[in-house]
């Protein structure tokens, strides 16, 4: 049984044509990885399957979803097949407690905004009143919390979550919809080393329960549960078929390489054209005994970090360790950046420097 079928479709968003003559079929029991370079159309394809973008010519059909609707005897005149599809986007779209305004990125660093945000427990318990029907339960709330290890996060507000914790919560919310088709846009982005195996195992269990997954991802992060690959280039299908057949298929710049080298010519080109006041600095970043607290809890404690001119650093740590908070101090997004001893390009933060 086909889950979704696109046949010779022309897809448009606003005044842009995204795809022409697009054809793509997914059978029940399959899991697909959508690959391609940035801008190839991976996210656009997921939005098309979700019904967000307009199909001008050709067809987009959901045979399995039609069958499910008939089996469930759904009579709701407002029913759309979107009700059976869950989409894990790259960016979260949380709203405040009154559901009146979106929560924005910088709010996570302001303690007084936390009162506007629901807790993880409240968010997961919110009912979806957009339809009068419900799909059979495959994933209970308790099962989802256990599998995604959310129990320690339940009392946190949404804006207190790290990027990786937010990603896990978005996946949990998608599963609570009991979807027939699950779309995921780069689900491994933001997850730490310990959490990635958890998601891989979860995808295996989702597959066993009969849920079809289509995910946009990178070549390095194709989970074992994936059975088929769609490779896009310039909004066109370059390869479509079983995963094993793709190993000898077209790769282009998608093939991973461990032989990374610094482009010295480009580095010197940028350095030569930097403003004089930045060329002469010694410390790009200097932090001395930096402390960040929220609601009486330490987020960062006694951080001393010097980044010399020309150095290259990798910032690593588990989800919630404080990586994004540390970067927000450098960028000046965090209000406590001005209450700590932080210098950027040898100039003290808060001394009137031009960011």
């Amino acid at each position: 049984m086909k889950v979704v079928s696109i046949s010779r479709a022309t897809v448009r968003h606003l005044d842009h044509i995204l795809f022409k003559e697009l054809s793509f079929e997914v059978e029940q029991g399959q899991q697909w990885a959508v690959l391609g370079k940035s801008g190839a159309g991976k996210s656009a394809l997921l939005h098309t399957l979700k019904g967000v973008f307009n199909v001008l010519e050709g067809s987009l059909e959901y045979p399995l979803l039609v069958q499910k609707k008939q089996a469930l005897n759904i009579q709701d005149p407002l029913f759309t097949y979107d009700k059976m599809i869950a989409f894990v986007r790259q960016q979260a779209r949380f709203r405040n407690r009154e559901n009146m305004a979106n929560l924005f990125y910088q709010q996570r660093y302001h303690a007084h905004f936390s009162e506007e945000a629901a807790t993880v427990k409240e968010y997961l318990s919110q009912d979806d009143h957009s339809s009068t029907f419900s799909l059979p339960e495959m994933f209970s709330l308790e099962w989802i919390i256990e599998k995604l290890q959310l129990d320690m996060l339940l009392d946190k507000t949404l804006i207190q979550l790290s990027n990786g914790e937010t990603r896990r919560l978005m996946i949990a919310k998608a599963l609570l919809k009991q979807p027939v088709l699950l779309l995921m846009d780069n689900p491994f982005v933001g997850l730490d080393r310990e959490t990635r195996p958890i998601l891989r195992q979860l995808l295996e269990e989702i597959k066993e329960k009969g849920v079809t997954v289509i995910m946009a991802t990178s070549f390095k992060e194709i989970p074992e549960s994936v059975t088929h690959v769609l490779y896009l280039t310039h909004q066109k299908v370059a390869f479509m078929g079983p995963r094993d057949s793709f190993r000898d298929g077209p790769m282009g710049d998608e093939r991973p390489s461990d032989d990374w080298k610094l482009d010295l010519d480009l580095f010197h080109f940028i350095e030569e054209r930097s403003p004089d006041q930045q060329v002469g600095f010694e410390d790009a970043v200097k932090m001395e005994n930096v402390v960040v607290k929220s609601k009486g809890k330490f987020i960062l404690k006694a951080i001393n970090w010097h980044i010399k001119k020309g150095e290259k650093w990798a910032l690593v740590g588990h989800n919630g360790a404080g990586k994004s908070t540390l970067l927000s101090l450098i960028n000046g997004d965090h209000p406590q950046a001005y209450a700590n001893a932080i210098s950027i390009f040898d100039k003290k933060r808060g001394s009137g420097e031009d960011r």
Side-chain angles (χ1 to χ4, degrees), residues 68-82:
K68 291 280 187 181
K69 178 185 176 182
Q70 294 172 346
L72 293 170
N73 192 28
I74 297 173
Q75 304 296 327
D76 186 351
L78 299 179
F79 171 84
T80 62
Y81 293 112
D82 171 78

Side-chain angles (χ1 to χ4, degrees), residues 19 21 44 51-52 54 119 134 136 151 156 210 217 222 224 230 263 270 305 328 334 336:
F19 298 103
E21 295 289 315
V52 177
N54 297 322
T119 65
S134 59
D151 52 309
K156 275 191 172 184
T217 188
I222 303 176
E224 294 75 10
L230 178 71
D263 188 336
I270 295 172
W305 187 19
S328 74
H334 201 297
Q336 296 185 46

Side-chain angles (χ1 to χ4, degrees), residues 214-285:
I214 305 174
M215 70 176 68
T217 188
S218 70
F219 180 82
K220 290 183 177 181
E221 294 178 330
I222 303 176
E224 294 75 10
S225 58
V226 164
T227 60
H228 289 70
V229 169
L230 178 71
Y231 183 79
L232 295 173
T233 177
H234 303 296
Q235 291 79 47
K236 294 182 179 179
V237 176
F239 176 89
M240 180 170 57
R243 177 177 181 168
D244 290 343
S245 301
F246 180 70
R247 292 173 180 171
D248 299 321
M251 287 299 298
D253 295 336
E254 184 75 11
R255 185 177 298 280
S257 173
D258 295 327
D259 300 327
W260 182 88
K261 293 181 180 179
L262 174 65
D263 188 336
L264 291 176
D265 291 337
L266 177 60
F267 178 80
H268 291 312
F269 176 85
I270 295 172
E271 188 177 45
E272 290 170 1
R273 284 156 179 77
S274 298
D276 292 340
Q277 66 268 25
Q278 293 186 11
V279 171
F281 69 86
E282 293 185 8
D283 293 310
V285 176

